[in-house]
Amino acid sequence: MAGRLFPLAAGAALALGLSAEAQDLGGHGGPVGALAAAGALVLSGSFDTRAILWDAPEATARRVLRFHDGAVTATAILPDGALATGGQDGRVAIWAATGTEPRLTGTPHRAPVGALAVTPDGGTLLAAGWDGQVQRIELATGAITLDPAHRDRIAGLGVLADGRIVTVGSDLRLTLRAPDLTLLAAADLPDLPNGLAIAGEAVAVVFADGALRSFTPEGALRPERFLTDRPLVAVAASADTVAAAAVDGTVWVLDLPDLGVRHRIEPGQGPVWALALSGETLLTGGADGMIRRWSLASGAPLGTGAAAPAEQFDDGSRGAEIWRACAVCHSLTPEGGNRAGPSLHGIFGRRIASLPGYDFSPALRAMHLTWTPETVAALFERGPESYTPGSRMPEQRLSDPEDRRALTDFLARMTR
C-alpha cells in the first residue's frame, strides 16, 4: 500500500464510463506549484513534497518521486527523457528516465529553487534560486558553477533558442546572459516580477501589479496587457501563445505578439500556481491539488474538472467517509488501474510492493509484509515513515482505532 492516500477515487472514472482523455490529473495531496510538459508526458510538483510523472493521454501516473524536504517548486523534462526537480529545500535533483532515486543532485541553494530550464542541446540544466544565484549543472559530468545573477530572489528563468539565458529578479532587473553566464545586457523592470516564459523571440513576464509584459531579450518593452488588479503568479508560453494566471485563480490565454486576449478561464481550483502548454492543450495546476486540461483553441475544459468521484463507493458507512481522503491516488476496481498510488483491488492477502505495473521504491520491494486488515490498521496507527520506511507516501495517521477499523472494514467490502 505505497503512495499517498489522499482525496479522490482515480479508479472510479473508468467504472463510470469516462475515458482517460476525459479525466484531469489528480494525485497530489496539496497545491500543485510546478508543471512541465513534453509530448505525452507531464511532470508536476506539489506542496506535498512529491513530483509525479504523468502519461497525460492515459491520465495515469508513471512514476512518483520523493526527494525534497518541503514543496517541489520547479520541474523540467529533459530531451533524453530524464527529469529534474527543484525544491523549497534549495536542492536540485536529476532523475534518470527510469527509477525512483536521483542520479545526480546539485549544490543546495540557500533558499528555494524558483525555476529550472534546460539548454537547447540538452546538456546543461539551469536552476534559479531565491538566493539570487543561477546554478549551472553539466549533466554529463556533474560539474556545477554558481553565478550571483541578482541581488535578491530570482523570479523567472528561461533559455532562448540560441542558448542565451534570461532572468528576472525581485531586484527589479532583467538580465541577458551568454551560455557561460557572462552578463550581456540588463534592464530595469517597472514592477515586481513573478515569473518568466520564453515566447518565441520575446520574453513574457508576469508582474505583481496584474500586468503581463513582453520584452526583447535585451530588456526593451514590447506590448503589455493589464489583466487584473490582483498579482499574476504563473506564466507559460509558446511561439504564438502565452497564458497567465492570477492569485485568485483566473487564467488568460493571449495571442502573440500583440497580447490580445483569446480566452479568459475560471478553473475553479483556487489559486493557480502553475501553467504549462502542451501542443493545443493548456494545463493548470491549482490549490486543489488537481491538474486540469483546457483547449487552447476554444478555452473549453478537456477534462471533467476532477479525477473520478468517490461517491460510487459510498455505502453510507464511516469507512466510506474516511475513504474520501484516500481516493485521489488509489482505485478500488481492477479496471481502475494504478494512479499516483497503486490500485487497492485485492489488497488483502497481497505482499507489499508486489502489484504489477506500479513503480514501487526498492525499500518497499525489499520488505516482507503482507497486507491484512491488521497491517493496514498498523500503517495508519504508526504512520508510513515508521511502518513502511522508504515509502513515498507522506506522513499521515488515523488516531482513532474505530476509524482504522471502519476503513479496513470498508476496504474488505469494496476490494474483493
Side-chain angles (χ1 to χ4, degrees):
M1 194 169 182
R4 175 90 163 166
L5 284 125
F6 231 82
L8 244 173
L14 298 183
L16 290 173
L18 299 174
S19 67
E21 290 78 4
Q23 297 176 53
D24 291 305
L25 308 178
H28 283 295
V32 175
L35 284 173
L41 299 179
V42 175
L43 181 62
S44 58
S46 170
F47 288 38
D48 67 5
T49 76
R50 299 182 306 162
I52 300 178
L53 180 66
W54 302 90
D55 183 318
E58 296 298 323
T60 57
R62 288 190 178 185
R63 296 160 67 191
V64 180
L65 307 174
R66 191 175 180 197
F67 168 77
H68 296 283
D69 297 323
V72 178
T73 51
T75 58
I77 301 174
L78 308 186
D80 63 356
L83 311 171
T85 58
Q88 185 181 19
D89 57 4
R91 296 190 294 174
V92 176
I94 295 96
W95 312 76
T98 59
T100 56
E101 298 296 328
R103 67 172 177 84
L104 180 65
T105 58
T107 300
H109 286 274
R110 298 189 301 272
V113 176
L116 296 172
V118 63
T119 56
D121 63 5
T124 303
L125 179 72
L126 300 165
W130 287 17
D131 58 1
Q133 297 192 96
V134 173
Q135 182 178 173
R136 179 184 171 94
I137 305 172
E138 302 299 335
L139 297 174
T141 64
I144 294 173
T145 56
L146 285 170
D147 180 79
H150 290 268
R151 293 191 300 273
D152 205 339
R153 176 176 67 96
I154 299 178
L157 166 74
V159 181
L160 298 161
D162 61 8
R164 291 180 298 165
I165 300 159
V166 184
T167 64
V168 292
S170 60
D171 56 1
L172 306 188
R173 297 283 283 173
L174 178 151
T175 74
L176 176 67
R177 297 174 182 275
D180 64 359
L181 298 178
T182 300
L183 183 64
L184 301 176
D188 293 330
L189 295 173
D191 203 81
L192 183 68
N194 281 331
L196 172 159
I198 301 300
E201 296 181 355
V203 179
V205 183
V206 289
F207 287 86
D209 65 357
L212 170 67
R213 297 180 173 96
S214 60
F215 299 86
T216 67
E218 293 76 18
L221 182 64
R222 298 180 68 177
E224 61 183 335
R225 180 76 60 180
F226 285 88
L227 296 172
T228 175
D229 60 0
R230 307 298 299 276
L232 296 177
V233 293
V235 62
S238 64
D240 60 2
T241 302
V242 60
V247 72
D248 65 358
T250 306
V251 176
W252 291 263
V253 178
L254 304 100
D255 293 313
L256 291 169
D258 62 349
L259 298 184
V261 176
R262 188 189 312 171
H263 307 297
R264 174 174 169 154
I265 299 170
E266 301 288 348
Q269 299 180 262
V272 170
W273 298 114
L275 299 169
L277 301 181
S278 178
E280 294 302 311
T281 301
L282 168 68
L283 302 162
T284 61
D288 60 354
M290 294 294 300
I291 301 159
R292 296 198 60 190
R293 300 190 274 191
W294 310 82
S295 167
L296 285 176
S298 67
L302 298 177
T304 60
E311 286 80 358
Q312 181 192 16
F313 302 100
D314 190 352
D315 59 4
S317 68
R318 172 61 176 158
E321 183 179 350
I322 297 169
W323 162 254
R324 291 175 179 273
C326 305
V328 96
C329 296
H330 298 275
S331 67
L332 293 174
T333 61
E335 61 268 26
N338 298 321
R339 296 295 183 182
S343 171
L344 302 187
H345 180 73
I347 182 69
F348 293 137
R350 188 166 76 209
R351 179 178 170 171
I352 189 172
S354 64
L355 184 67
Y358 186 80
D359 188 17
F360 293 98
S361 70
L364 290 192
R365 292 185 185 277
M367 290 185 69
H368 298 283
L369 175 71
T370 298
W371 290 119
T372 66
E374 293 74 24
T375 55
V376 169
L379 172 72
F380 286 102
E381 179 182 11
R382 295 171 53 183
E385 294 289 349
S386 172
Y387 196 69
T388 53
S391 169
R392 293 183 291 275
M393 178 178 173
E395 191 67 6
Q396 54 196 296
R397 294 182 178 87
L398 288 172
S399 60
D400 188 337
E402 292 303 316
D403 283 349
R404 297 195 295 269
R405 179 181 293 276
L407 177 60
T408 57
D409 287 349
F410 173 83
L411 292 175
R413 293 192 301 275
M414 297 295 176
T415 62
R416 288 196 289 265

